[in-house]
Amino acid sequence: MKNPIVAPSILSADFADMQTGLGRIRDSGADWIHMDVMDGHFVPPISFGAKMVSDVRKRTALPLDVHLMVEEPDKMIPDFAAAGADIITFHAEACIHMHRTIQSIHSLGKAAGISVVPSTPVSAIAEILPFVDLVLVMTVNPGYGGQELLEFCLRKVEALQALRDSLKLGFRISIDGGVSEAALSSIAEARPDVLVIGSAFFEAEDPATFVGTVRDAFGARLVC
Ligand code: DX5
Ligand code: ZN
């Protein structure tokens, strides 16, 4: 069984010392960097824009997993593509013409992700699953790091795996929000492909040990 992709979210880093945050990610052996873009409308806070992505792009070769928590993703996607994002994920709740938005991300040469907040069912994105590269299941209400994982959202991971198998698709399933050591055993049971981790990663004493613990939680299931 594959290791999960570990994607630290820089939302929990010190924005005035991003160099240290990026060093922590590099030293941890994590796989991707998750970047939360918040516009103050789709979610209350404002985080950062495309300039942060282009500045981070200059300092790392890791894939940049950009999560747009914004009301008008279509207007912003070209800027994030130009800034060096590898994966651009937008919210189903913010988009009427999801298929067209996915096409536009692909036309810019980027992988396309769709995200759903906890109250949105998998059925809301069923028709566009054949076209996406990633489904990001929010496991907290978006907008803030450091919240507790909403266990009921993990059932969506299982529903998506069943659809992926029956439709013979290849998208990855990511979970975002509340991924902590305390929640690892139920997360490992659901087996998402990607784990976005903000506060637990940045608060861990040793980031490499923390990433090892996360990977072990998934590996441990194999010997059970
Ligand atoms: C929340 C963001 C998350 C956030 C996760 O709206 O989308 O990516 O950084 O933070 P933790 O892991 O602390 O819940
Ligand atoms: Zn996120």
Side-chain angles (χ1 to χ4, degrees), residues 136-204:
L136 187 155
V137 174
M138 289 292 322
T139 39
V140 294
N141 290 300
Y144 306 93
Q147 304 179 76
E148 204 168 308
L149 180 130
L150 299 169
E151 291 263 345
F152 74 90
C153 298
L154 293 176
R155 289 203 299 270
K156 288 192 234 181
V157 174
E158 287 155 27
L160 285 162
Q161 285 160 344
L163 283 167
R164 182 170 64 185
D165 289 350
S166 65
L167 299 170
K168 298 189 171 32
L169 299 174
F171 60 84
R172 287 190 168 113
I173 302 167
S174 176
I175 65 165
D176 184 5
V179 178
S180 65
E181 279 197 58
L184 270 184
S185 63
S186 46
I187 292 168
E189 192 119 354
R191 302 208 76 82
D193 308 298
V194 184
L195 303 174
V196 174
I197 316 178
S199 51
F201 176 86
F202 281 94
E203 286 164 15

Short mmCIF file of all heavy atoms in Angstrom, two decimals, residues 136-204:
data_model
loop_
_atom_site.label_atom_id
_atom_site.label_comp_id
_atom_site.label_asym_id
_atom_site.label_seq_id
_atom_site.Cartn_x
_atom_site.Cartn_y
_atom_site.Cartn_z
N LEU A 136 -10.69 17.35 -2.94
CA LEU A 136 -10.26 17.75 -1.60
C LEU A 136 -11.50 17.80 -0.70
O LEU A 136 -12.39 18.63 -0.90
CB LEU A 136 -9.57 19.12 -1.66
CG LEU A 136 -8.92 19.61 -0.36
CD1 LEU A 136 -7.80 20.60 -0.69
CD2 LEU A 136 -9.91 20.30 0.54
N VAL A 137 -11.56 16.85 0.22
CA VAL A 137 -12.68 16.76 1.16
C VAL A 137 -12.32 17.60 2.38
O VAL A 137 -11.38 17.29 3.11
CB VAL A 137 -12.92 15.29 1.57
CG1 VAL A 137 -13.99 15.19 2.65
CG2 VAL A 137 -13.28 14.44 0.35
N MET A 138 -13.06 18.68 2.59
CA MET A 138 -12.82 19.49 3.79
C MET A 138 -13.33 18.71 5.00
O MET A 138 -14.48 18.27 5.03
CB MET A 138 -13.56 20.83 3.73
CG MET A 138 -13.02 21.84 2.73
SD MET A 138 -11.39 22.56 3.06
CE MET A 138 -11.32 22.79 4.80
N THR A 139 -12.47 18.56 5.99
CA THR A 139 -12.85 17.83 7.20
C THR A 139 -13.01 18.79 8.40
O THR A 139 -13.09 18.34 9.54
CB THR A 139 -11.85 16.69 7.49
OG1 THR A 139 -10.52 17.14 7.19
CG2 THR A 139 -12.14 15.48 6.64
N VAL A 140 -13.00 20.08 8.09
CA VAL A 140 -13.45 21.13 9.03
C VAL A 140 -14.20 22.15 8.18
O VAL A 140 -14.09 22.15 6.95
CB VAL A 140 -12.27 21.86 9.75
CG1 VAL A 140 -11.50 20.91 10.65
CG2 VAL A 140 -11.36 22.55 8.74
N ASN A 141 -14.96 23.03 8.82
CA ASN A 141 -15.51 24.16 8.08
C ASN A 141 -14.36 25.09 7.74
O ASN A 141 -13.56 25.46 8.60
CB ASN A 141 -16.58 24.87 8.92
CG ASN A 141 -17.82 24.00 9.07
OD1 ASN A 141 -18.45 23.64 8.07
ND2 ASN A 141 -18.15 23.61 10.28
N PRO A 142 -14.21 25.44 6.44
CA PRO A 142 -12.99 26.11 6.01
C PRO A 142 -12.83 27.52 6.57
O PRO A 142 -13.80 28.16 6.95
CB PRO A 142 -13.13 26.17 4.49
CG PRO A 142 -14.59 26.05 4.22
CD PRO A 142 -15.14 25.21 5.33
N GLY A 143 -11.59 27.96 6.62
CA GLY A 143 -11.30 29.33 7.01
C GLY A 143 -10.24 29.46 8.08
O GLY A 143 -9.57 30.48 8.16
N TYR A 144 -10.10 28.42 8.89
CA TYR A 144 -9.18 28.52 10.03
C TYR A 144 -8.43 27.21 10.23
O TYR A 144 -9.01 26.13 10.08
CB TYR A 144 -9.95 28.83 11.32
CG TYR A 144 -10.83 30.05 11.18
CD1 TYR A 144 -12.17 29.91 10.82
CD2 TYR A 144 -10.32 31.33 11.38
CE1 TYR A 144 -12.99 31.04 10.66
CE2 TYR A 144 -11.12 32.45 11.23
CZ TYR A 144 -12.46 32.30 10.87
OH TYR A 144 -13.24 33.40 10.71
N GLY A 145 -7.15 27.33 10.62
CA GLY A 145 -6.40 26.17 11.06
C GLY A 145 -6.74 25.85 12.50
O GLY A 145 -7.43 26.63 13.19
N GLY A 146 -6.29 24.70 12.96
CA GLY A 146 -6.38 24.37 14.37
C GLY A 146 -7.73 23.90 14.86
O GLY A 146 -7.97 23.86 16.07
N GLN A 147 -8.64 23.54 13.96
CA GLN A 147 -9.95 23.03 14.40
C GLN A 147 -9.90 21.51 14.51
O GLN A 147 -9.00 20.85 14.01
CB GLN A 147 -11.02 23.42 13.39
CG GLN A 147 -11.13 24.91 13.10
CD GLN A 147 -12.22 25.18 12.07
OE1 GLN A 147 -13.41 25.14 12.36
NE2 GLN A 147 -11.79 25.45 10.84
N GLU A 148 -10.96 20.97 15.12
CA GLU A 148 -11.03 19.52 15.29
C GLU A 148 -11.67 18.87 14.07
O GLU A 148 -12.65 19.40 13.52
CB GLU A 148 -11.88 19.22 16.53
CG GLU A 148 -11.58 17.88 17.13
CD GLU A 148 -12.24 17.74 18.50
OE1 GLU A 148 -12.03 18.64 19.34
OE2 GLU A 148 -12.96 16.75 18.69
N LEU A 149 -11.14 17.73 13.66
CA LEU A 149 -11.66 17.00 12.49
C LEU A 149 -13.12 16.58 12.71
O LEU A 149 -13.48 16.10 13.78
CB LEU A 149 -10.79 15.77 12.25
CG LEU A 149 -11.19 14.88 11.07
CD1 LEU A 149 -9.98 14.60 10.20
CD2 LEU A 149 -11.76 13.56 11.57
N LEU A 150 -13.93 16.79 11.69
CA LEU A 150 -15.34 16.37 11.73
C LEU A 150 -15.40 14.96 11.15
O LEU A 150 -15.28 14.76 9.93
CB LEU A 150 -16.21 17.34 10.91
CG LEU A 150 -16.21 18.79 11.42
CD1 LEU A 150 -16.87 19.73 10.41
CD2 LEU A 150 -16.91 18.88 12.78
N GLU A 151 -15.57 13.99 12.04
CA GLU A 151 -15.48 12.57 11.64
C GLU A 151 -16.46 12.20 10.52
O GLU A 151 -16.14 11.37 9.68
CB GLU A 151 -15.75 11.68 12.86
CG GLU A 151 -14.67 11.73 13.92
CD GLU A 151 -13.67 10.59 13.81
OE1 GLU A 151 -13.94 9.60 13.10
OE2 GLU A 151 -12.60 10.72 14.42
N PHE A 152 -17.64 12.83 10.53
CA PHE A 152 -18.63 12.42 9.52
C PHE A 152 -18.15 12.67 8.10
O PHE A 152 -18.59 12.00 7.16
CB PHE A 152 -20.01 13.08 9.78
CG PHE A 152 -20.09 14.54 9.42
CD1 PHE A 152 -20.48 14.93 8.15
CD2 PHE A 152 -19.81 15.53 10.36
CE1 PHE A 152 -20.58 16.29 7.81
CE2 PHE A 152 -19.90 16.88 10.04
CZ PHE A 152 -20.28 17.26 8.76
N CYS A 153 -17.20 13.59 7.94
CA CYS A 153 -16.69 13.89 6.59
C CYS A 153 -15.86 12.74 6.03
O CYS A 153 -15.71 12.63 4.80
CB CYS A 153 -15.86 15.16 6.60
SG CYS A 153 -16.81 16.61 7.11
N LEU A 154 -15.33 11.89 6.90
CA LEU A 154 -14.50 10.78 6.40
C LEU A 154 -15.33 9.78 5.59
O LEU A 154 -14.79 9.07 4.75
CB LEU A 154 -13.80 10.08 7.57
CG LEU A 154 -12.73 10.92 8.30
CD1 LEU A 154 -12.18 10.15 9.50
CD2 LEU A 154 -11.60 11.31 7.35
N ARG A 155 -16.64 9.77 5.85
CA ARG A 155 -17.48 8.87 5.04
C ARG A 155 -17.46 9.25 3.57
O ARG A 155 -17.64 8.43 2.68
CB ARG A 155 -18.93 8.89 5.56
CG ARG A 155 -19.09 8.20 6.92
CD ARG A 155 -20.52 7.75 7.13
NE ARG A 155 -21.45 8.87 7.11
CZ ARG A 155 -21.82 9.56 8.21
NH1 ARG A 155 -21.36 9.21 9.39
NH2 ARG A 155 -22.67 10.56 8.13
N LYS A 156 -17.21 10.55 3.32
CA LYS A 156 -17.13 10.98 1.91
C LYS A 156 -15.90 10.39 1.21
O LYS A 156 -15.93 10.15 0.02
CB LYS A 156 -17.08 12.51 1.84
CG LYS A 156 -18.39 13.15 2.17
CD LYS A 156 -18.35 14.62 1.79
CE LYS A 156 -18.73 15.45 2.97
NZ LYS A 156 -18.74 16.89 2.65
N VAL A 157 -14.85 10.17 1.99
CA VAL A 157 -13.65 9.54 1.39
C VAL A 157 -14.02 8.15 0.90
O VAL A 157 -13.68 7.76 -0.23
CB VAL A 157 -12.50 9.47 2.42
CG1 VAL A 157 -11.31 8.71 1.86
CG2 VAL A 157 -12.09 10.88 2.87
N GLU A 158 -14.76 7.44 1.72
CA GLU A 158 -15.15 6.08 1.32
C GLU A 158 -16.10 6.11 0.12
O GLU A 158 -15.97 5.32 -0.82
CB GLU A 158 -15.78 5.36 2.52
CG GLU A 158 -14.71 4.99 3.54
CD GLU A 158 -15.23 4.83 4.96
OE1 GLU A 158 -16.42 4.49 5.14
OE2 GLU A 158 -14.44 5.04 5.91
N ALA A 159 -17.03 7.06 0.11
CA ALA A 159 -17.95 7.18 -1.03
C ALA A 159 -17.19 7.50 -2.32
O ALA A 159 -17.48 6.95 -3.39
CB ALA A 159 -18.98 8.27 -0.74
N LEU A 160 -16.19 8.36 -2.20
CA LEU A 160 -15.40 8.71 -3.38
C LEU A 160 -14.56 7.54 -3.87
O LEU A 160 -14.40 7.33 -5.08
CB LEU A 160 -14.49 9.91 -3.05
CG LEU A 160 -15.22 11.25 -2.97
CD1 LEU A 160 -14.38 12.28 -2.21
CD2 LEU A 160 -15.55 11.77 -4.38
N GLN A 161 -14.02 6.76 -2.93
CA GLN A 161 -13.24 5.58 -3.35
C GLN A 161 -14.14 4.61 -4.11
O GLN A 161 -13.73 4.04 -5.13
CB GLN A 161 -12.66 4.88 -2.11
CG GLN A 161 -11.47 5.62 -1.53
CD GLN A 161 -11.21 5.25 -0.07
OE1 GLN A 161 -12.06 4.66 0.60
NE2 GLN A 161 -10.04 5.59 0.41
N ALA A 162 -15.37 4.44 -3.64
CA ALA A 162 -16.29 3.51 -4.31
C ALA A 162 -16.61 4.01 -5.71
O ALA A 162 -16.60 3.23 -6.68
CB ALA A 162 -17.57 3.37 -3.48
N LEU A 163 -16.83 5.32 -5.85
CA LEU A 163 -17.11 5.87 -7.20
C LEU A 163 -15.88 5.75 -8.09
O LEU A 163 -15.99 5.42 -9.28
CB LEU A 163 -17.52 7.34 -7.08
CG LEU A 163 -18.94 7.59 -6.60
CD1 LEU A 163 -19.12 9.05 -6.22
CD2 LEU A 163 -19.94 7.21 -7.70
N ARG A 164 -14.73 6.01 -7.51
CA ARG A 164 -13.49 5.93 -8.30
C ARG A 164 -13.30 4.51 -8.83
O ARG A 164 -12.95 4.31 -10.00
CB ARG A 164 -12.31 6.34 -7.42
CG ARG A 164 -10.98 6.34 -8.12
CD ARG A 164 -9.92 6.98 -7.26
NE ARG A 164 -9.67 6.25 -6.03
CZ ARG A 164 -8.85 6.67 -5.07
NH1 ARG A 164 -8.20 7.82 -5.19
NH2 ARG A 164 -8.67 5.96 -3.98
N ASP A 165 -13.55 3.53 -7.97
CA ASP A 165 -13.39 2.13 -8.40
C ASP A 165 -14.43 1.77 -9.45
O ASP A 165 -14.10 1.21 -10.50
CB ASP A 165 -13.55 1.18 -7.20
CG ASP A 165 -12.37 1.27 -6.25
OD1 ASP A 165 -11.36 1.92 -6.64
OD2 ASP A 165 -12.44 0.73 -5.15
N SER A 166 -15.68 2.12 -9.19
CA SER A 166 -16.72 1.66 -10.12
C SER A 166 -16.61 2.36 -11.47
O SER A 166 -16.90 1.77 -12.51
CB SER A 166 -18.12 1.82 -9.51
OG SER A 166 -18.38 3.17 -9.34
N LEU A 167 -16.16 3.62 -11.46
CA LEU A 167 -16.04 4.36 -12.73
C LEU A 167 -14.64 4.23 -13.34
O LEU A 167 -14.36 4.80 -14.39
CB LEU A 167 -16.37 5.83 -12.51
CG LEU A 167 -17.80 6.14 -12.02
CD1 LEU A 167 -17.93 7.61 -11.61
CD2 LEU A 167 -18.83 5.79 -13.08
N LYS A 168 -13.76 3.49 -12.66
CA LYS A 168 -12.37 3.29 -13.12
C LYS A 168 -11.66 4.63 -13.37
O LYS A 168 -11.13 4.89 -14.46
CB LYS A 168 -12.33 2.41 -14.37
CG LYS A 168 -12.87 1.02 -14.13
CD LYS A 168 -12.61 0.12 -15.31
CE LYS A 168 -12.93 -1.34 -15.06
NZ LYS A 168 -14.04 -1.65 -14.15
N LEU A 169 -11.68 5.48 -12.36
CA LEU A 169 -11.06 6.80 -12.48
C LEU A 169 -9.76 6.84 -11.67
O LEU A 169 -9.48 5.91 -10.91
CB LEU A 169 -12.03 7.88 -11.98
CG LEU A 169 -13.35 7.95 -12.77
CD1 LEU A 169 -14.31 8.93 -12.13
CD2 LEU A 169 -13.09 8.33 -14.23
N GLY A 170 -9.01 7.93 -11.83
CA GLY A 170 -7.69 7.97 -11.18
C GLY A 170 -7.46 9.17 -10.27
O GLY A 170 -6.34 9.43 -9.88
N PHE A 171 -8.51 9.94 -9.95
CA PHE A 171 -8.28 11.12 -9.13
C PHE A 171 -7.79 10.74 -7.73
O PHE A 171 -8.09 9.66 -7.23
CB PHE A 171 -9.56 11.98 -9.04
CG PHE A 171 -10.75 11.29 -8.44
CD1 PHE A 171 -10.92 11.22 -7.06
CD2 PHE A 171 -11.73 10.70 -9.25
CE1 PHE A 171 -12.02 10.58 -6.51
CE2 PHE A 171 -12.83 10.06 -8.70
CZ PHE A 171 -12.97 9.99 -7.33
N ARG A 172 -7.04 11.67 -7.13
CA ARG A 172 -6.60 11.47 -5.75
C ARG A 172 -7.64 12.07 -4.80
O ARG A 172 -8.30 13.05 -5.14
CB ARG A 172 -5.26 12.17 -5.51
CG ARG A 172 -4.09 11.45 -6.15
CD ARG A 172 -2.80 12.10 -5.64
NE ARG A 172 -1.65 11.30 -5.97
CZ ARG A 172 -0.70 11.67 -6.82
NH1 ARG A 172 -0.78 12.84 -7.43
NH2 ARG A 172 0.33 10.88 -7.06
N ILE A 173 -7.70 11.51 -3.61
CA ILE A 173 -8.62 12.01 -2.59
C ILE A 173 -7.78 12.59 -1.45
O ILE A 173 -6.91 11.91 -0.89
CB ILE A 173 -9.52 10.88 -2.05
CG1 ILE A 173 -10.30 10.24 -3.21
CG2 ILE A 173 -10.46 11.43 -0.97
CD1 ILE A 173 -10.97 8.92 -2.85
N SER A 174 -8.04 13.87 -1.17
CA SER A 174 -7.29 14.57 -0.13
C SER A 174 -8.24 14.94 1.01
O SER A 174 -9.42 15.20 0.76
CB SER A 174 -6.72 15.85 -0.78
OG SER A 174 -6.06 16.66 0.15
N ILE A 175 -7.74 14.95 2.23
CA ILE A 175 -8.54 15.51 3.32
C ILE A 175 -7.81 16.71 3.89
O ILE A 175 -6.57 16.76 3.92
CB ILE A 175 -8.91 14.50 4.42
CG1 ILE A 175 -7.69 13.99 5.18
CG2 ILE A 175 -9.74 13.36 3.88
CD1 ILE A 175 -8.06 13.29 6.48
N ASP A 176 -8.59 17.69 4.35
CA ASP A 176 -8.02 18.97 4.77
C ASP A 176 -8.76 19.49 5.99
O ASP A 176 -9.94 19.82 5.90
CB ASP A 176 -8.14 19.97 3.60
CG ASP A 176 -7.47 21.30 3.90
OD1 ASP A 176 -6.85 21.44 4.95
OD2 ASP A 176 -7.59 22.20 3.03
N GLY A 177 -8.05 19.52 7.10
CA GLY A 177 -8.61 20.12 8.31
C GLY A 177 -8.66 19.15 9.47
O GLY A 177 -9.22 18.06 9.36
N GLY A 178 -8.01 19.51 10.55
CA GLY A 178 -8.10 18.72 11.78
C GLY A 178 -7.29 17.43 11.75
O GLY A 178 -7.54 16.54 12.57
N VAL A 179 -6.32 17.32 10.84
CA VAL A 179 -5.49 16.11 10.82
C VAL A 179 -4.46 16.24 11.94
O VAL A 179 -3.58 17.10 11.89
CB VAL A 179 -4.80 15.92 9.45
CG1 VAL A 179 -3.90 14.69 9.48
CG2 VAL A 179 -5.84 15.80 8.34
N SER A 180 -4.63 15.41 12.94
CA SER A 180 -3.75 15.47 14.13
C SER A 180 -3.39 14.04 14.52
O SER A 180 -4.02 13.08 14.03
CB SER A 180 -4.50 16.13 15.29
OG SER A 180 -5.59 15.29 15.66
N GLU A 181 -2.44 13.91 15.41
CA GLU A 181 -2.07 12.55 15.86
C GLU A 181 -3.27 11.85 16.48
O GLU A 181 -3.47 10.66 16.29
CB GLU A 181 -0.91 12.64 16.86
CG GLU A 181 0.42 12.79 16.15
CD GLU A 181 1.62 12.47 17.04
OE1 GLU A 181 1.69 11.34 17.57
OE2 GLU A 181 2.46 13.36 17.18
N ALA A 182 -4.09 12.63 17.20
CA ALA A 182 -5.25 12.03 17.88
C ALA A 182 -6.25 11.44 16.87
O ALA A 182 -6.93 10.46 17.17
CB ALA A 182 -5.94 13.08 18.73
N ALA A 183 -6.32 12.03 15.70
CA ALA A 183 -7.31 11.59 14.71
C ALA A 183 -6.74 10.56 13.73
O ALA A 183 -7.46 10.05 12.86
CB ALA A 183 -7.85 12.80 13.94
N LEU A 184 -5.45 10.24 13.88
CA LEU A 184 -4.78 9.43 12.85
C LEU A 184 -5.38 8.05 12.64
O LEU A 184 -5.42 7.56 11.51
CB LEU A 184 -3.29 9.26 13.18
CG LEU A 184 -2.35 10.33 12.63
CD1 LEU A 184 -0.91 9.97 12.97
CD2 LEU A 184 -2.52 10.49 11.12
N SER A 185 -5.85 7.41 13.71
CA SER A 185 -6.32 6.03 13.50
C SER A 185 -7.61 6.03 12.67
O SER A 185 -7.74 5.21 11.75
CB SER A 185 -6.46 5.27 14.81
OG SER A 185 -7.43 5.89 15.60
N SER A 186 -8.52 6.96 12.91
CA SER A 186 -9.73 6.95 12.07
C SER A 186 -9.41 7.42 10.66
O SER A 186 -10.00 6.97 9.68
CB SER A 186 -10.86 7.76 12.69
OG SER A 186 -10.41 8.98 13.17
N ILE A 187 -8.44 8.32 10.53
CA ILE A 187 -8.04 8.77 9.19
C ILE A 187 -7.42 7.61 8.41
O ILE A 187 -7.73 7.38 7.24
CB ILE A 187 -7.05 9.95 9.28
CG1 ILE A 187 -7.76 11.20 9.84
CG2 ILE A 187 -6.42 10.25 7.92
CD1 ILE A 187 -6.82 12.32 10.23
N ALA A 188 -6.55 6.85 9.08
CA ALA A 188 -5.88 5.72 8.41
C ALA A 188 -6.90 4.68 7.97
O ALA A 188 -6.73 4.01 6.95
CB ALA A 188 -4.83 5.11 9.32
N GLU A 189 -7.96 4.56 8.73
CA GLU A 189 -9.04 3.63 8.36
C GLU A 189 -9.69 4.04 7.05
O GLU A 189 -10.01 3.22 6.21
CB GLU A 189 -10.07 3.66 9.49
CG GLU A 189 -11.08 2.59 9.42
CD GLU A 189 -11.02 1.71 10.67
OE1 GLU A 189 -10.11 1.88 11.51
OE2 GLU A 189 -11.88 0.86 10.77
N ALA A 190 -9.88 5.36 6.88
CA ALA A 190 -10.53 5.87 5.65
C ALA A 190 -9.59 5.86 4.45
O ALA A 190 -10.05 5.84 3.31
CB ALA A 190 -11.07 7.27 5.90
N ARG A 191 -8.30 5.90 4.69
CA ARG A 191 -7.27 5.84 3.65
C ARG A 191 -7.38 6.89 2.54
O ARG A 191 -7.41 6.54 1.34
CB ARG A 191 -7.20 4.45 3.01
CG ARG A 191 -6.94 3.32 3.99
CD ARG A 191 -6.24 2.15 3.35
NE ARG A 191 -4.83 2.45 3.14
CZ ARG A 191 -3.89 2.34 4.08
NH1 ARG A 191 -4.18 1.93 5.28
NH2 ARG A 191 -2.64 2.63 3.80
N PRO A 192 -7.40 8.17 2.89
CA PRO A 192 -7.26 9.18 1.83
C PRO A 192 -5.86 9.10 1.23
O PRO A 192 -4.94 8.54 1.84
CB PRO A 192 -7.46 10.50 2.57
CG PRO A 192 -7.13 10.21 3.99
CD PRO A 192 -7.47 8.75 4.23
N ASP A 193 -5.69 9.65 0.02
CA ASP A 193 -4.38 9.60 -0.65
C ASP A 193 -3.47 10.75 -0.21
O ASP A 193 -2.26 10.66 -0.32
CB ASP A 193 -4.57 9.70 -2.17
CG ASP A 193 -5.57 8.68 -2.66
OD1 ASP A 193 -5.30 7.48 -2.50
OD2 ASP A 193 -6.65 9.08 -3.16
N VAL A 194 -4.08 11.86 0.19
CA VAL A 194 -3.33 13.07 0.54
C VAL A 194 -3.83 13.58 1.89
O VAL A 194 -5.05 13.62 2.11
CB VAL A 194 -3.52 14.19 -0.52
CG1 VAL A 194 -2.65 15.40 -0.20
CG2 VAL A 194 -3.24 13.68 -1.94
N LEU A 195 -2.90 13.96 2.75
CA LEU A 195 -3.27 14.55 4.04
C LEU A 195 -2.72 15.98 4.09
O LEU A 195 -1.50 16.17 4.03
CB LEU A 195 -2.65 13.76 5.19
CG LEU A 195 -2.98 12.26 5.27
CD1 LEU A 195 -2.17 11.62 6.39
CD2 LEU A 195 -4.46 12.08 5.50
N VAL A 196 -3.62 16.94 4.16
CA VAL A 196 -3.19 18.33 4.38
C VAL A 196 -3.09 18.53 5.88
O VAL A 196 -4.02 18.19 6.62
CB VAL A 196 -4.22 19.30 3.77
CG1 VAL A 196 -3.85 20.75 4.12
CG2 VAL A 196 -4.32 19.11 2.26
N ILE A 197 -1.96 19.05 6.33
CA ILE A 197 -1.75 19.19 7.78
C ILE A 197 -1.17 20.57 8.08
O ILE A 197 -0.08 20.90 7.61
CB ILE A 197 -0.81 18.10 8.35
CG1 ILE A 197 -1.15 16.71 7.76
CG2 ILE A 197 -0.89 18.07 9.87
CD1 ILE A 197 -0.23 15.59 8.23
N GLY A 198 -1.91 21.35 8.84
CA GLY A 198 -1.46 22.69 9.20
C GLY A 198 -0.87 22.74 10.58
O GLY A 198 0.33 22.55 10.80
N SER A 199 -1.73 22.98 11.57
CA SER A 199 -1.24 23.24 12.93
C SER A 199 -0.46 22.06 13.50
O SER A 199 0.58 22.25 14.14
CB SER A 199 -2.40 23.63 13.85
OG SER A 199 -3.44 22.70 13.73
N ALA A 200 -0.94 20.84 13.28
CA ALA A 200 -0.24 19.68 13.89
C ALA A 200 1.19 19.58 13.35
O ALA A 200 2.12 19.24 14.09
CB ALA A 200 -1.02 18.39 13.63
N PHE A 201 1.38 19.91 12.07
CA PHE A 201 2.72 19.86 11.49
C PHE A 201 3.61 20.96 12.07
O PHE A 201 4.75 20.72 12.47
CB PHE A 201 2.66 19.98 9.97
CG PHE A 201 4.01 20.04 9.31
CD1 PHE A 201 4.68 18.87 8.98
CD2 PHE A 201 4.63 21.26 9.07
CE1 PHE A 201 5.95 18.92 8.42
CE2 PHE A 201 5.89 21.32 8.50
CZ PHE A 201 6.55 20.14 8.17
N PHE A 202 3.06 22.18 12.11
CA PHE A 202 3.91 23.30 12.53
C PHE A 202 4.12 23.35 14.04
O PHE A 202 5.07 23.97 14.52
CB PHE A 202 3.37 24.63 11.97
CG PHE A 202 3.75 24.81 10.53
CD1 PHE A 202 2.90 24.42 9.52
CD2 PHE A 202 5.01 25.27 10.18
CE1 PHE A 202 3.27 24.54 8.18
CE2 PHE A 202 5.41 25.39 8.87
CZ PHE A 202 4.53 25.02 7.85
N GLU A 203 3.27 22.66 14.78
CA GLU A 203 3.45 22.63 16.24
C GLU A 203 4.27 21.41 16.69
O GLU A 203 4.65 21.33 17.86
CB GLU A 203 2.08 22.60 16.93
CG GLU A 203 1.38 23.97 16.87
CD GLU A 203 -0.11 23.90 17.20
OE1 GLU A 203 -0.57 22.87 17.74
OE2 GLU A 203 -0.81 24.89 16.89
N ALA A 204 4.50 20.48 15.80
CA ALA A 204 5.24 19.26 16.19
C ALA A 204 6.67 19.64 16.60
O ALA A 204 7.29 20.52 16.00
CB ALA A 204 5.27 18.27 15.04
#
